[in-house]
Amino acid sequence: MVQTYMSPVQTQCINIDYYINDNGISDTFTDQRWMRLHMARSVVALFIVSFLFSTLSAFPGLVGCWRRSHSNIIATGLLQLLAGLVVASAIGLWHAIPHYEYEKLNFPEMSFSRWPEVLQIYSRSYYGWSYVLAWLGVALTLSSSFMFLCGAQCLRKEKQKEKTQGTAYLVPIYAGPYHCPYSY
């Protein structure tokens, strides 16, 4: 029987060692099994890349809002778009792994139906509040990207309007006592 322990958030947990030694066991892996393992590792990598894009988008966003620069706002919108697409692909790949495992992998010694009863019980997927929050985060990231791109377009139009309206009212101001028209 597999020993489980109580996590800090009151769920039953087991630890899985994902490190695979270069020994006889890994030599027997089929191509499908290696692909499933690499897909599982790619989910973590995609979440890290998404977090990196989100963090990087903060810097041009702050600079763009401070300087009112539409190019920095566009960069922020594009980085947010990339972050949203990468995290959506990570969640999609997370869904693809069990499907791939149950439909494509045919190694009878490790199929889900042959697992011990306790592992089958604790390996079932239940979509809870964290799953809903993950998809909500994807939707909010993509909507913030859209808002940044629309904001950059509005900022560009506003600057062009200021440029065309303000040229007729520009009065040259000269520095120095001899160039000032109201000096004594």
Side-chain angles (χ1 to χ4, degrees), residues 71-104:
S71 60
N72 283 344
I73 302 295
I74 287 174
T76 302
L78 292 177
L79 284 170
Q80 283 290 317
L81 180 67
L82 279 173
L85 292 177
V86 169
V87 78
S89 64
I91 295 174
L93 189 59
W94 180 78
H95 279 291
I97 291 169
H99 175 73
Y100 186 80
E101 184 175 349
Y102 296 134
E103 299 294 326
K104 298 287 184 183

Side-chain angles (χ1 to χ4, degrees), residues 62-136:
L62 290 173
V63 170
C65 288
W66 184 263
R67 293 185 183 172
R68 297 180 51 90
S69 167
H70 74 278
S71 60
N72 283 344
I73 302 295
I74 287 174
T76 302
L78 292 177
L79 284 170
Q80 283 290 317
L81 180 67
L82 279 173
L85 292 177
V86 169
V87 78
S89 64
I91 295 174
L93 189 59
W94 180 78
H95 279 291
I97 291 169
H99 175 73
Y100 186 80
E101 184 175 349
Y102 296 134
E103 299 294 326
K104 298 287 184 183
L105 292 180
N106 294 323
F107 46 94
E109 71 276 358
M110 297 189 73
S111 68
F112 183 74
S113 61
R114 290 184 165 235
W115 286 6
E117 182 79 24
V118 70
L119 282 180
Q120 287 184 8
I121 291 170
Y122 289 118
S123 297
R124 301 216 191 279
S125 296
Y126 299 105
Y127 304 129
W129 60 271
S130 60
Y131 178 77
V132 173
L133 283 180
W135 278 112
L136 183 65

Side-chain angles (χ1 to χ4, degrees), residues 17-18 32 90 103 128 138 171 177 179 183:
D17 185 15
Y18 287 109
Q32 287 89 12
E103 299 294 326
V138 170
V171 177
H179 295 81
S183 63

Side-chain angles (χ1 to χ4, degrees), residues 25-76:
I25 295 173
S26 64
D27 293 339
T28 62
F29 283 5
T30 61
D31 288 338
Q32 287 89 12
R33 193 162 172 198
W34 278 113
M35 185 177 293
R36 185 224 173 266
L37 181 69
H38 291 311
M39 286 187 339
R41 291 176 176 170
S42 297
V43 169
V44 176
L46 287 173
F47 276 118
I48 291 170
V49 169
S50 171
F51 183 72
L52 180 71
F53 280 142
S54 293
T55 305
L56 286 178
S57 71
F59 299 114
L62 290 173
V63 170
C65 288
W66 184 263
R67 293 185 183 172
R68 297 180 51 90
S69 167
H70 74 278
S71 60
N72 283 344
I73 302 295
I74 287 174
T76 302

